[in-house]
Amino acid sequence: MEKKQQLHRQVVMMRQSLFDQGYVDDQFVQLEELQDDTNPNFVEEIVTLYYRDSARLISSIEQALERSPLDFDKLDNLMHQFRGSSSSIGARKVKAECTQFGEHCVGGNGEGCMRSFQRMKREYSALRKKLEAYFQVARQAGPMDTASRSN
Amino acid sequence: MRGELNLSCGKVSLLASTSSCAWKSAEMVPDWFPAGLRVLVVDDDPTCLMILEKMLKTCQYEVTTCNRAEIALSSLRNNRNGFDVVLSDVHMPDMDGFKLLEYIGLEMDLPVIMMSVDDGKHVVMKGVTHGACDFLIKPIRIEALKNIWQHVVRKRKNEWKELEQSGSAEDGDQLPKHSEDVDYSSTANEGTWKNVKRRKDEDEDGEERDDTSTLKKPRVVWSVELHQQFVVAVNQLGIDKAFPKKILELMNVPGLTRENVASHLQKYRLYLRRLSGVSQHPAGVGNPFLSPQEAAFGPISSLNGLDLQALVASGQLSTQSLAFQASRFGRSSPKSGISVSVLDQRSMFSFDNSNLRFGEMQQSQQNPNSNKQTNLLHGIPTNMEPKQLATLQQSAKPFSSFNVQVVVSQGAPSNGSLIQITQPQLRGQKLGESSTSHVPRLPANVSQSALQSQVAGEVMLRNGMTENGRGLGQNHPPQTSLAASYSGATPWKSL
């Protein structure tokens, strides 16, 4: 029982830091609120889906960035997609980098795109790590009541 | 059964009990409302799609997801009354969301809500100009989705208002009529989700009634054959001289009122206007079957016919939807500014093929592989001669081979174009490559009997087109067979 409580506390803390450190925004809460008995692992499922899809997008962007000359339209398109899915899970920092990237595309700034892309990848990795750790503990802790989930 | 709602979802059966009274007064909104609202979500992003699905389900809506615009479109075409509202992303790889919006607006006139992570003014403006009834910025919150039902209700309210206005001019010839064919319960059900746009079933024989004894004036159902008669009359009079009273006289349809004709004429005019913005064809192309006016509009509408036949892949369409659509071609002024480009029309052909791919379509309401050999003849474009149509029908291979070939022969006398649609490789691109005109015309010398022998039962001409082979130009009485036997129709209006 002690262990359970500890775990629960840990989950709460980890969750809070996700928000405090700006990894996720309110949209993440929207996902959490969708989680119910019929979909008890909804958030994790969505995030997993996001990983899969974004891996594909990131690789496409990488390939596109290797082209010369750069096809800014294509890049913008790809990044737009990535921005959409990132925002849908509430990935705040990743989304911000996507927006930045998009601006570079519009400006035809290849250098800017490259830099932005690198930053975006870093944020994405960081987010993934955080979320994976969080879900792991959450699974261990087991179901928590909503009262303990405060934003 | 007449007026009965073909409800595919148990939940929706609740809706059937709503009376039109309740809908008329805003105060009396039923408790269960808007549960069961049938939403079609189109988004290529799997993450977004899944989230939206969950959100909509939480709102108690009936959700169908789709990750390809083409599939969504063909699904809509095959099941015109199957959805109440469409949610679509703007940026999609296979089709621009605004394009999809246009199609839906023209063909089904469903409320469409656009979504995008892009919140730029010009994007939102584009939504407005293309006729979206709302624009949601991603990420979408569930609160934003809770209220999408308002767009459905609003649209229908406006439609009723339209009806009332057009029908209220004179009430001299509006006598309360009873008819076996008009089911009062259907008007009572008009307020429900499915039935506001749903019309009667196969039993309808094309005779419409305008009944003033119910609270709500039932919409006159402009079935295909009725519309044909209308068009014939209009063409006979000449579009400029076609006045409702004269048209009514020529049509000689018992129970039809001048007001019905007047409002239908209004819509028809809008429709023609829209078409003429698209048509690149000179009028009077030399097809003896078409009158000069018909020729001007013939290309487009005959394209519709092709489109329709090609598109019928599942037997799930109802006469009601056909008839309903027949009455809706001219609808929606917001969209009147849109010209559907020729290429787009042709590219529409490609969509019929995609509807056979149901892998991407979840909770699909279709019955994909049954009834494939049905009634290609429905959705007769108004200006196309039945003979021509029969020809078209008969050249289509049975669907069982999933090979929808609608070959419109290219004839010297008329400017025909060969449009061959095979599934699924021949997509919009191929069609786009066709340098010939967009007009699928039939050469005058194609004889119906010759073609008939080709098909020989491969394609069921259930709507009795062969009977109509005598051709238009006569005011023959409404054909029962047309509407009656049709179990799945894409409306002829499919621009």
Side-chain angles (χ1 to χ4, degrees), chain B residues 12 36 41 69 96 112 153 188 199 205 245 249 264 301 320 368 373 403 415 445 450 464:
Chain B
V12 184
V41 192
D96 182 38
V112 182
V153 175
R199 279 305 143 208
D205 62 4
K245 196 150 164 44
E249 280 167 22
H264 194 71
S301 44
Q320 302 146 355
Q373 291 180 342
N403 190 2
N415 299 342
N445 51 12

Side-chain angles (χ1 to χ4, degrees), chain B residues 75-147:
Chain B
S75 169
L76 283 165
R77 283 171 174 159
N78 285 334
N79 192 6
R80 266 167 216 263
N81 289 328
F83 301 101
D84 299 304
V85 61
V86 179
L87 247 61
S88 174
D89 191 44
V90 167
H91 289 88
M92 291 186 288
D94 64 333
M95 191 198 308
D96 182 38
F98 293 118
K99 186 112 276 158
L100 177 66
L101 167 61
E102 272 186 40
Y103 284 145
I104 297 177
L106 286 170
E107 294 182 37
M108 297 115 204
D109 201 24
L110 284 173
V112 182
I113 298 171
M114 300 306 291
M115 311 178 283
S116 181
V117 67
D118 196 348
D119 61 353
K121 242 196 305 202
H122 77 283
V123 173
V124 179
M125 188 59 191
K126 230 179 155 187
V128 174
T129 54
H130 283 68
C133 59
D134 205 352
F135 198 107
L136 303 177
I137 306 294
K138 288 181 169 181
I140 296 179
R141 301 177 61 88
I142 195 172
E143 293 85 51
L145 296 176
K146 281 209 170 94
N147 289 327

